[in-house]
Amino acid sequence: MDPRIVVGLDGSAESAAAAHWAAREALLRSVPLHLVHAEERSSPPGIPAARSDVAREWVKALLRDASDELREKHPQLDISTQSFDGRPADSLAGVTATAGMLVLGSRGLGTLTGFFLGSVGMAVIHAVERPVVLVRATEDAIPHARGLHSDRDVVVGIDISRPCDALLAFAFDEASRRACRLRALHSWMLPPLAGSGFAYSPEVNAQIAQSMNTGLDDMLKPWRDMYPAVTLDAQVPIGHASEQLLDTGSEAGLIVVGRRIRRSPIGAHVGPITHAVLHHSTAPVAVIAHE
């Protein structure tokens, strides 16, 4: 596997923030950074060729200026650039197939900037099975942010009823590299009867919570043993998982969520929890594809 980190650039403030976030991540991992731009440039009949030449020069300047700015801030970083003339989702999936990570800029609220707009942005996430991180243009991501990464928490959402090894491996590794706290959440809802006039007793609620705690602790134990230096805070809050993740992760350095790999084109590739976090989180969000 090629360990480099790939960043999609489109000239927006969000993609610039993504590049600076990715540069610090590349330094943490001691891997190269690869800046790319992908765009379909097929012009309708009658459009002068000069316009395509202008577009190509703009792309060259975009990649050159971004790499120069990052080299000035991080002279020890190995940076390369590449542009693609083709469908962005396909191009990014191809270049990221063996990479360590893909980083994109995101405006949240359902839109990804520039050529990642709307359905194309989701197509990129669906097509890439390597970790994908979406970064907003926040104070922590802009060029003058201090250090490699803040010491803010890494937050990971877990479903204890299904295997989450890829998700946990990424989250523990990130927390270890950053020397920060890892907060692991498994949210749960009260059974339907609890809201229909047949309230469960506190004892029953406590038993359910204890069962959830035990399940989460069992899932986390091998990872605690593997990463003894990571400070782990495991929680089983009551409530909608997306709301709990967004609330807990509002001041986090990174939120880690999963998506199940679907080989069939039919059905959702991103579940409702990950979908909500992607659209509403102000913190960077890592989407980890797993079986």
Side-chain angles (χ1 to χ4, degrees):
M1 185 186 78
D2 179 357
R4 65 183 175 172
I5 293 177
V6 177
V7 185
L9 291 179
D10 63 5
S12 67
E14 288 77 16
S15 74
H20 284 276
W21 187 96
R24 297 194 295 275
E25 184 71 18
L27 289 172
L28 278 176
R29 294 168 173 253
S30 299
V31 299
L33 184 69
H34 190 52
L35 308 178
V36 303
H37 174 86
E39 184 176 5
E40 288 189 279
R41 298 194 187 94
S42 54
S43 300
I47 297 298
R51 184 172 298 183
S52 294
D53 293 339
V54 170
R56 289 188 177 87
E57 288 303 315
W58 179 85
V59 172
K60 288 180 182 178
L62 169 69
L63 295 172
R64 181 185 63 246
D65 292 348
S67 60
D68 287 349
E69 183 176 1
L70 292 173
R71 285 193 181 98
E72 182 177 356
K73 186 170 182 60
H74 307 292
Q76 70 275 43
L77 187 58
D78 180 3
I79 303 174
S80 58
T81 63
Q82 189 175 10
S83 63
F84 297 94
D85 188 355
R87 293 183 59 192
D90 294 341
S91 299
L92 286 169
V95 75
T96 311
T98 59
M101 179 187 297
L102 172 65
V103 183
L104 308 175
S106 171
R107 291 183 182 178
L109 299 178
T111 61
L112 302 177
T113 61
F115 56 72
F116 302 123
L117 183 64
S119 61
V120 175
M122 295 308 295
V124 172
I125 295 173
H126 298 167
V128 174
E129 295 189 4
R130 305 302 303 156
V132 180
V133 178
L134 290 100
V135 179
R136 302 277 290 277
T138 61
E139 183 71 16
D140 281 346
I142 57 180
H144 63 261
R146 295 180 179 178
L148 293 183
H149 278 294
S150 70
D151 59 357
R152 294 180 179 180
D153 299 342
V154 172
V155 176
V156 58
I158 299 171
D159 179 356
I160 64 173
S161 67
R162 307 179 70 176
C164 296
D165 284 353
L167 203 62
L168 291 171
F170 183 90
F172 271 89
D173 185 65
E174 280 293 310
S176 177
R177 291 179 189 277
R178 297 164 182 241
C180 70
R181 179 174 61 168
L182 175 61
R183 304 183 70 179
L185 271 67
H186 170 74
S187 301
W188 60 285
M189 301 290 291
L190 288 171
L193 287 177
S196 59
F198 297 94
Y200 283 86
S201 68
E203 292 78 10
V204 172
N205 292 343
Q207 289 175 3
I208 297 173
Q210 182 58 47
S211 175
M212 298 294 177
N213 267 307
T214 300
L216 182 57
D217 286 343
D218 289 346
M219 178 172 279
L220 293 174
K221 185 180 185 307
W223 300 96
R224 289 180 188 268
D225 296 341
M226 199 179 308
Y227 291 89
V230 170
T231 300
L232 179 63
D233 177 17
Q235 303 176 19
V236 288
I238 300 176
H240 292 285
S242 58
E243 294 176 2
Q244 296 296 327
L245 279 170
L246 288 167
D247 182 57
T248 303
S250 61
E251 299 295 327
L254 182 67
I255 299 177
V256 184
V257 293
R259 77 165 183 88
R260 298 286 171 180
I261 297 173
R262 295 182 61 92
R263 304 302 177 188
S264 169
I266 302 172
H269 289 254
V270 174
I273 296 170
T274 293
H275 197 268
V277 173
L278 280 173
H279 288 181
H280 298 290
S281 173
T282 56
V285 179
V287 182
I288 310 302
H290 58 116
E291 300 292 347

